[in-house]
Amino acid sequence: MSAVLEVRDLTRRFGGITAVDGVSFSVAEGEVLGIIGPNGSGKSTLFNCILGQIEPSAGHVLLDGEDVTGLRPSALNRRGVSRTFQLLQVFPNLSARENLILAGQEHRGSMMGRLFGAADAGLSAEAEAMIGFFRLERVADTRAGSLSYGQQKLLDAAMAFMAGPRLVLLDEPAGGVNPSMLAALKDRLAAINREKGATFVVIEHNMDFVMSLCTRILVLAEGRILAEGKPYDVRNDPRVIEAYLGH
């Protein structure tokens, strides 16, 4: 399988502090990679460097072999890179369906198309498909702000996969979600990988969630890669246990 994402010796310094220190890894097409690590390990800084929200101090980010280091998030979005945030990015006064259509518009179309094109930007069919896939039929026309937190997280994930992005980065998708909705979210993420070949990377604190969802785990500690491998091997790695429990 070819690499969708390659990160080469990525480094980010803030004054005398090195938050990300020479990190290298790749994500193969159709892979689900989990990135874990204790608080302060550099996970969020790494994500933000990859996504162009922070300019790295050194190193490179490649998307399908093209160097995209430092490109703005909007430019990456047009190249098929999507993401979620720790804080929900849904529009509370729009329905779930309208949120999906708006998310799809971010991936395609010009300003002229948005001004003079169809009101749904030609995305109604895709929005309906995502509503069905993420099992949001019962709340499709409900204001997003009226949904439960877990339903909003499910909608947020569906929005990230609108328009078939090349790569999705999910930032703490399980955070604050109750167990029943968490099971539904994990089921749908596993299904979109299995059935549609979606490629994505997950930063997560919920170890059970990430270990059962991801095919490979990368562990960060103090800005460096501490361990990498299959979930079972990583979970039982003494260095990982020490990093989480040894402080």
Side-chain angles (χ1 to χ4, degrees):
M1 291 186 292
S2 60
V4 174
L5 174 71
E6 292 180 74
V7 175
R8 298 179 180 172
D9 298 316
L10 205 66
T11 298
R12 175 62 198 195
R13 302 182 188 91
F14 296 96
I17 298 172
T18 302
V20 177
D21 191 359
V23 170
S24 297
F25 65 93
S26 63
V27 182
E29 187 165 2
E31 184 176 20
V32 182
L33 175 70
I35 299 178
I36 63 173
N39 289 331
S41 61
K43 301 186 301 297
S44 292
T45 302
L46 174 63
F47 244 35
N48 288 330
C49 285
I50 293 169
L51 290 159
Q53 292 177 307
I54 298 175
E55 187 172 352
S57 305
H60 297 275
V61 178
L62 287 80
L63 182 67
D64 288 318
E66 179 186 359
D67 195 328
V68 295
T69 311
L71 282 187
R72 295 175 63 85
S74 57
L76 289 171
N77 200 276
R78 288 192 294 272
R79 284 168 169 80
V81 179
S82 183
R83 75 164 297 176
T84 65
F85 294 82
Q86 290 183 34
L87 298 176
L88 285 166
Q89 299 293 301
V90 301
F91 294 89
N93 292 321
L94 298 181
S95 70
R97 179 180 283 104
E98 290 167 334
N99 267 278
L100 285 163
I101 289 170
L102 195 60
Q105 285 181 283
E106 294 299 313
H107 289 277
R108 63 176 65 171
S110 64
M111 181 59 71
M112 291 295 288
R114 294 186 191 187
L115 289 172
F116 301 108
D120 67 356
L123 290 164
S124 283
E126 289 181 54
E128 287 302 318
M130 294 306 290
I131 286 166
F133 192 88
F134 279 84
R135 298 174 180 167
L136 293 164
E137 295 95 338
R138 290 177 59 247
V139 298
D141 295 307
T142 302
R143 285 178 57 253
S146 300
L147 303 179
S148 71
Y149 186 75
Q151 288 171 327
Q152 290 185 51
K153 279 280 195 174
L154 197 59
L155 173 60
D156 197 34
M159 289 167 64
F161 287 97
M162 266 295 288
R166 184 77 175 120
L167 174 70
V168 176
L169 289 88
L170 303 172
D171 195 350
E172 305 261 355
V177 181
N178 69 48
S180 62
M181 284 303 301
L182 191 59
L185 176 60
K186 184 174 71 175
D187 173 75
R188 292 297 83 200
L189 290 175
I192 205 165
N193 170 254
R194 181 178 64 251
E195 297 174 22
K196 299 182 183 297
T199 304
F200 52 101
V201 181
V202 183
I203 283 180
E204 186 52 66
H205 276 101
N206 185 319
M207 291 283 282
D208 290 335
F209 180 88
V210 78
M211 291 288 176
S212 59
L213 175 65
C214 299
T215 51
R216 183 166 58 98
I217 307 292
L218 185 151
V219 186
L220 288 183
E222 298 180 345
R224 298 189 183 101
I225 295 177
L226 177 68
E228 183 178 359
K230 294 181 179 180
Y232 177 84
D233 296 328
V234 167
R235 185 190 286 273
N236 293 285
D237 190 317
R239 297 170 299 170
V240 177
I241 296 169
E242 173 66 19
Y244 274 95
L245 304 177
H247 297 293

